[in-house]
Amino acid sequence: MKRERTSWYSHALGKEMPVVTYGHYGFALLLVPTAAADYLEYERFQLIDAIAPFINEGKIKVFSINSINNESWLNRYMKGAHKGIRHNQFNEYVFNEVIPFIKNHTSWETPVVISGASFGALHSMNLFLKRPDLINGTIAMSGVYDLTEYTNGYYDEQVYYNSPIHYIPNLTDDWYLSRIREGKIIIATGSGAYEDPQANRRFSGVLHDKGIPHELDIWGEDITHDWPTWRRMLPHFLGTRF
């Protein structure tokens, strides 16, 4: 498997940001880390090994980026308003730096699907919903789509605009809705320890009420909030839905 690491100084974030890529060809799969993790997390926990057949056969080319959650929502020493500012800079980094990087290393016609687990699922869903003109779909695993789960009760306009369960019910702009409806949305969760299938059902209901096609796939009580789950889920959806 071809593996390359690179980095550049992000003007959006004001720091060096690394990226690792796997593979040669295929549609682009952009991975967003869980919680406070880094760009090599999916490799360390063998998820890259689990999807290696799709990489090696040229079905997907994978791009894995760093999170900055420790500089935003998970930083308990930071004011809530500042967390939102920092997170919006991360969004801009993805839209204005990562997506062009992906396109320059594939083609400008190559579809981009974004995926993540846990907190990475929320970010993946939010990034797709905000820019469905740049991102073509999402595979969101074991997430909740209410950002207030991570803000310790803090709520302001920026929390609202990064919390899909809050802003999607009020979205009326046909430019966004038409493009979101064209994308592929997969919401997957288990029913075991530390999973929240009810939160996924609630968000599915929000999408349904807006006429947004999606797939809600709730797995059994033996499926817990942990890496063995995601090593099963992601290859399953890559193999059966794409």
Side-chain angles (χ1 to χ4, degrees):
M1 180 193 307
K2 182 181 180 182
R3 177 185 183 275
E4 294 183 331
R5 285 199 290 178
T6 189
S7 69
W8 64 84
Y9 181 85
S10 167
H11 292 284
L13 293 169
K15 61 185 290 186
E16 195 78 8
M17 292 292 287
V19 177
V20 60
T21 66
Y22 307 90
H24 293 84
Y25 309 108
F27 72 83
L29 179 67
L30 173 57
L31 296 178
V32 181
T34 69
D38 66 7
Y39 71 116
L40 295 174
E41 176 191 38
Y42 289 109
E43 181 178 321
R44 283 196 305 276
F45 286 94
Q46 292 88 49
L47 186 137
I48 297 300
D49 290 340
I51 62 174
F54 304 107
I55 299 171
N56 291 332
E57 73 185 28
K59 185 172 187 176
I60 59 173
K61 184 170 183 176
V62 178
F63 298 79
S64 186
I65 60 174
N66 251 0
S67 73
I68 62 151
N69 294 318
N70 280 334
E71 301 174 24
S72 57
W73 306 115
L74 300 184
N75 185 339
R76 59 194 179 100
Y77 301 106
M78 198 175 199
K79 291 183 178 180
H82 295 166
K83 294 180 182 183
I85 291 169
R86 190 59 171 160
H87 180 74
N88 286 333
Q89 292 170 344
F90 176 76
N91 291 344
E92 292 306 309
Y93 159 70
V94 174
F95 298 142
N96 297 329
E97 299 179 35
V98 174
I99 296 298
F101 174 81
I102 290 172
K103 295 294 189 179
N104 285 329
H105 285 77
T106 54
S107 76
W108 288 91
E109 292 73 39
T110 298
V112 178
V113 174
I114 189 167
S115 183
S118 192
F119 204 3
L122 189 159
H123 291 327
S124 297
M125 183 66 68
N126 185 45
L127 289 161
F128 163 68
L129 294 172
K130 283 183 171 300
R131 291 300 304 268
D133 58 321
L134 297 178
I135 300 171
N136 303 93
T138 180
I139 305 170
M141 304 178 292
S142 301
V144 297
Y145 305 97
D146 180 347
L147 184 56
T148 62
E149 295 280 337
Y150 295 92
T151 64
N152 294 318
Y154 182 80
Y155 188 81
D156 67 1
E157 184 177 59
Q158 295 312 314
V159 173
Y160 169 86
Y161 280 114
N162 285 288
S163 183
I165 205 163
H166 288 102
Y167 67 74
I168 286 295
N170 300 316
L171 181 61
T172 58
D173 189 324
D174 279 338
W175 187 93
Y176 284 98
L177 285 170
S178 63
R179 286 162 176 79
I180 290 169
R181 289 170 181 146
E182 291 171 358
K184 193 172 191 67
I185 302 174
I186 296 172
I187 304 168
T189 186
S191 300
Y194 302 104
E195 291 283 71
D196 195 342
Q198 285 304 110
N200 285 253
R201 290 188 180 98
R202 286 193 297 273
F203 185 60
S204 174
V206 165
L207 295 178
H208 176 78
D209 289 345
K210 299 301 289 189
I212 297 173
H214 64 284
E215 178 179 353
L216 173 65
D217 197 346
I218 297 180
W219 295 24
E221 293 184 1
D222 59 323
I223 304 301
T224 62
H225 194 88
D226 205 352
W227 286 99
T229 289
W230 308 324
R231 287 195 295 264
R232 288 178 61 186
M233 280 183 173
L234 190 56
H236 168 73
F237 292 117
L238 290 173
T240 61
R241 305 300 192 273
F242 292 90

